[in-house]
Amino acid sequence: TGLTSAQRQVTVQEGPLYRTEGSHVTLWCKVSGYQGPAEQNFQWSIYLPSAPEREVQIVSTVDPSFPYAIYTQRVRGRGIFVERLQGDAVLLHITELQERDAGQYECHTPNTDERYLGSYSAKTNLTVIPDTLSASMAPQALSHMEGDVVELTCEVSKATAQHTHLSVGWYLLQGAGEQPAKEILTLSKDFILKPGPSYEQRFLEGNVQLNKVGNTTYKLIIRGVKPSDQGQLYCEAAEWIEDPDKTWKDISRNQTQRTWLAVLSRGTDLSVDLTAAEPSLSEGDSLQLSCVVEAPKSSNFKVVWLLNNKEVARVDPHGVLTWEEEYQERARLGQLRAFKPSNTVYVLTISEVGLEDKGTYQCSVSEMKTPGDLQSIQTVVSSGIQVDVKLVEIHLRLSVSTSTPRVTAGDALILHCEVQGATGPVSLRWWHLPPQQPGHRELVAAMEQDGALNLGSAYRHGGARGSLRLQKESSGTFTLVIPSTLDEDDGGQYRCEATQWSRGRNWTGKGEAAVMVSSIAGLGLQATLRSRIATVSYGQSFELFCQVGASYALEEVPVSVRWRFQPNPPTSPLQELVQVLPNGTVLWGAAQPRFQGKAQLAKTDSSFRLHIHSALPANEGTYQCEVEVWRRNVLPLGRPAASTSSNAVGIKVVLPGSKLQVDTKDSSVEIASGNAAIQCRIVFAQENSQFAVTWYLLPPLADTKPLQILRANYTSVLEYGSEFSSPALKSRFLSQRVSSSLFQLQILSANVGDEGSYYCVVEEWLWLVDGWYKLGERTSGRTTLKFKLSGEQLQMEKTNGSISAREGEEATLPCRLQSALPPRSQLSATWFQAKGSGRDSALLSLQRDGTVQYPEGRLAVRLFLRRASARDFSLTLSGVERGDAGAYYCQLQEWQQQGEGKDWALQALARSGHTQLITIPPESTVLSRICSSPPLLNFILYLPLVLILLLALAVFCWYCKFRK
């Protein structure tokens, strides 16, 4: 009792960790409390900042196929590897840290326990920061006598955003570099001076010092310099950062160039020492030889440089340099240099060695008494240094991969090319090998050794594929990004070619990666529009669903939708209501602004929804959705990759029912003269309604159609019908609202021509949120207008007749009163032109007081009353025109005054029969008169035949007379 089984616990190095780009990074991971074998396995993964939920596998101790493609080559080339410290602890090594290596690292241990208990993974964050550490010292060659003071300065700086410390140290490298450098003196990160073992006593005596001068300058001082100090001196700076576990880690180191220090003993003999920075070289490397002369006093020296006992160059006591002929061209090009940095040091450099430069080098020093002497006092030849130059054979190895092996048109392509084995800068070229054109290749992009970028013709100017990028991620890794693929033709093989040039030779490596691009167009895109209800009541909400189908996942491609609408009744083609772009931006159309405040838009994986709140009549009509699919990384500019329109769905909005009631009883109005009033009464209507009233006249003739007199809309604006549009009639027919439920048609100075049946049509209008809408209409009963006549019937000719008149001449239409006119009576007369339908047109009116009115003003100059007697009212029409043809009649009215000073009352009236006016076209020529007279025309046609018969008869008579 009291015992518990152990739980597995995985622990990883605590983060966040900050490391510089290009540095060697290690992360430790260990497991405890496990069961099973003593040697546990480990798997490392990363979660990148761009996709924090997506695991990217890096390396495993058990599964060689564990790494994803982006890390495969680095794992195979030991750029990333796992070092096992013991059975349950490992170190992850990243030999050259790259910017893309930043992220959250996870260490996972596969289960070996009987059951799952505890933790099996742990995570830590790694941030990659730029390497800003800089250390510099001007290279020089110094010659000092034993016991002198030597001072060297080193400039060290950093620009890291995080809190870091610096350490600065000085080192001495002797011989050919086969031995490690000796530490002279170091200022540690803790600001403590620490001498190397060989310089500890001299440091304690104060003869070796390191002083900081200013913010970035560090000075080394060596007093009493000794021959053992001779060699190459350099400065090394390191940058340190404190990790979360309170330990300090060096994240960057930088060495300066080297200074040659020659220490001359104070003896009496001449001595010569020849040294080489690196005697074992490869083709293209640089060689530097230093010839140090030791002499008891300053002298005049002549120095000759020898290769395999043959002279290369010489420097006379005046410092004049002379090259042998075979080296002059290389010296002119700057590949060979010989100079004297001090009185006792001579230097020979070859910037790019070749096979012809290998062999034994010596320097011969001759002491001259005076600079102009030809004879030397003594000559010393240094011991030889064997310089070996190896032939460079470069084997470029390329690893080409892609993080986007399968994409949809519009997606980006990302290709990686890692170059290994290069000893210098390389030029790089990417080629596309389209599968539909075997043997053909197309240049995508090229990067020269100096970083200059050139794009292929199809990829320039940032066209449909976007602005292509070719970047050098590190010393040997290049990344190509094509922001937007067009279609399947962008698939196939992509080849990377890297070339290194050296001394007129070049080496090329190749590698390929395959990608597949699926086209959006033509993959079964379709849209179906539906609504749960097709008829909605006013104020009710409704929804439209645009269901989209395709043979690919729509959530993987950018999709936009357009909603279109056509009002009912149609006034124009389908208008755009709103467009929703792939990024969610909503663009409302200008044609139907009322929808913006009432519509709600929503989207699911494969459908779009349009919800209309509180339907109005303006929302009635036909709806349609249009779906457009775009290539990824391309905004909706230009043409989409695919589009489809749905079926049309009609929505009907039913308005509130009209409760309008009007008086439908028939009635009659009888007047003798003066004005008449026709009533239109509303029996019932709902509150807040407004009314439009239209008045109609049904003339007495049974076959005529109702004539619209006038319409007063719900704002009381009047609109007259075509038959009542003349100014005279407009002034006599008026509509008036007497009360909230009573309308009247006022007929001023009514006459017998106004007789007929009158009725009104009432429209009920209601304001509904955004406008006035008609709910319904009702028709009233008919009111018959009659005139009450008290006199005897007037006698007139009722028989219909006709007259003919030639165009341009005049015609007189008869109208006569046949009966006697009663005493104290006066007559008025009106001439009408009968219409086949509608109201007859009044042409001329003769009032009882003798005044004449012309309702048809255009005919005033052509109409005359030529009264031969008091009972003759015949009408003369001058200048007859073809349009004057038709039926005419006159109407006479008898008036009597009711008393002295009283009004005149209509006593009787009579209407004549119709006179049909026939117009004849004018005669213009004799021929036309002949043609219009049949007898004369027949005579002219037979006249030649008659003449021939008469001539034949005359000849026959002459012949008979001659025979006698």
Side-chain angles (χ1 to χ4, degrees), residues 678-700:
I678 310 298
Q679 293 188 345
C680 177
R681 186 177 300 277
I682 297 174
V683 177
F684 180 81
Q686 58 188 3
E687 294 184 3
N688 302 323
S689 294
Q690 295 293 330
F691 307 101
V693 179
T694 305
W695 293 96
Y696 291 91
L697 167 63
L698 189 64

Side-chain angles (χ1 to χ4, degrees), residues 840-957:
D840 293 344
S841 298
L843 305 177
L844 178 146
S845 292
L846 174 64
Q847 304 299 318
R848 55 182 174 76
D849 59 0
T851 60
V852 178
Q853 295 179 351
Y854 298 92
E856 293 288 341
R858 61 184 179 84
L859 298 177
V861 297
R862 297 172 53 209
L863 299 177
F864 305 96
L865 285 177
R866 295 180 177 176
R867 304 182 62 185
S869 66
R871 293 184 295 174
D872 188 359
F873 295 91
S874 298
L875 177 69
T876 299
L877 176 63
S878 66
V880 172
E881 299 175 357
R882 181 180 301 177
D884 295 334
Y888 294 80
Y889 66 92
C890 73
Q891 180 176 279
L892 299 181
Q893 299 173 344
E894 178 190 352
W895 300 82
Q896 282 189 357
Q897 193 173 23
Q898 302 299 307
E900 186 68 26
K902 294 185 179 181
D903 293 336
W904 291 78
L906 180 66
Q907 300 297 312
L909 62 84
R911 180 182 294 178
S912 70
H914 286 72
T915 300
Q916 187 72 30
L917 174 61
I918 302 171
T919 61
I920 300 173
E923 295 179 355
S924 57
T925 62
V926 175
L927 180 60
S928 64
R929 295 186 180 184
I930 294 175
C931 293
S932 62
S933 176
L936 182 59
L937 178 62
N938 291 336
F939 172 76
I940 294 174
L941 292 176
Y942 288 101
L943 180 60
L945 180 60
V946 172
L947 293 176
I948 293 173
L949 291 176
L950 291 175
L951 180 61
L953 181 60
V955 171
F956 178 74
C957 292

Side-chain angles (χ1 to χ4, degrees), residues 536-540 542 564-571 575 577 591-596 598 610 612-623 650-656 766-774:
V536 297
S537 299
Y538 164 76
Q540 181 183 359
F542 64 92
R564 302 185 186 277
F565 172 72
Q566 184 181 53
N568 185 30
T571 57
Q575 302 168 343
L577 286 183
Q592 295 289 335
R594 300 177 184 176
F595 277 86
Q596 184 169 353
K598 299 176 60 62
L610 176 64
I612 304 295
H613 298 279
S614 302
L616 296 175
N619 304 137
E620 179 177 321
T622 301
Y623 292 81
I651 297 294
K652 180 175 179 58
V653 179
V654 179
L655 294 174
L766 191 64
W767 175 266
L768 300 176
V769 181
D770 62 342
W772 290 93
Y773 290 94
K774 179 180 174 181

Side-chain angles (χ1 to χ4, degrees), residues 459-609:
Y459 299 86
R460 296 173 186 163
H461 311 304
R465 294 183 176 90
S467 299
L468 182 144
R469 302 191 304 274
L470 176 55
Q471 300 173 335
K472 187 175 182 180
E473 303 290 346
S474 62
S475 59
T477 303
F478 300 82
T479 298
L480 173 68
V481 179
I482 301 175
S484 178
T485 51
L486 296 183
D487 46 35
E488 300 102 319
D489 293 344
D490 283 346
Q493 297 286 334
Y494 284 82
R495 176 182 297 168
C496 176
E497 289 186 0
T499 303
Q500 180 178 346
W501 298 81
S502 178
R503 301 182 66 82
R505 300 168 62 197
N506 66 81
W507 297 264
T508 299
K510 301 177 182 179
E512 295 180 3
V515 297
M516 178 178 291
V517 179
S518 300
S519 175
I520 296 176
L523 293 183
L525 182 66
Q526 57 183 2
T528 303
L529 186 62
R530 58 185 177 85
S531 175
R532 293 190 177 98
I533 51 177
T535 301
V536 297
S537 299
Y538 164 76
Q540 181 183 359
S541 299
F542 64 92
E543 286 185 332
L544 294 164
F545 296 89
C546 184
Q547 188 71 34
V548 185
S551 58
Y552 47 87
L554 287 173
E555 59 270 15
E556 297 180 358
V557 294
V559 180
S560 65
V561 63
R562 297 175 188 266
W563 289 96
R564 302 185 186 277
F565 172 72
Q566 184 181 53
N568 185 30
T571 57
S572 63
L574 284 168
Q575 302 168 343
E576 184 170 315
L577 286 183
V578 63
Q579 180 183 13
V580 183
L581 301 181
N583 61 2
T585 301
V586 177
L587 303 177
W588 291 95
Q592 295 289 335
R594 300 177 184 176
F595 277 86
Q596 184 169 353
K598 299 176 60 62
Q600 180 181 352
L601 303 164
K603 178 184 182 297
T604 61
D605 290 341
S606 60
S607 68
F608 298 88
R609 180 170 64 91

Side-chain angles (χ1 to χ4, degrees), residues 423-441:
T423 59
V426 298
S427 61
L428 198 80
R429 276 170 171 71
W430 280 98
W431 301 90
H432 179 215
L433 313 178
Q436 65 276 14
Q437 301 179 38
H440 175 73
R441 68 177 188 174

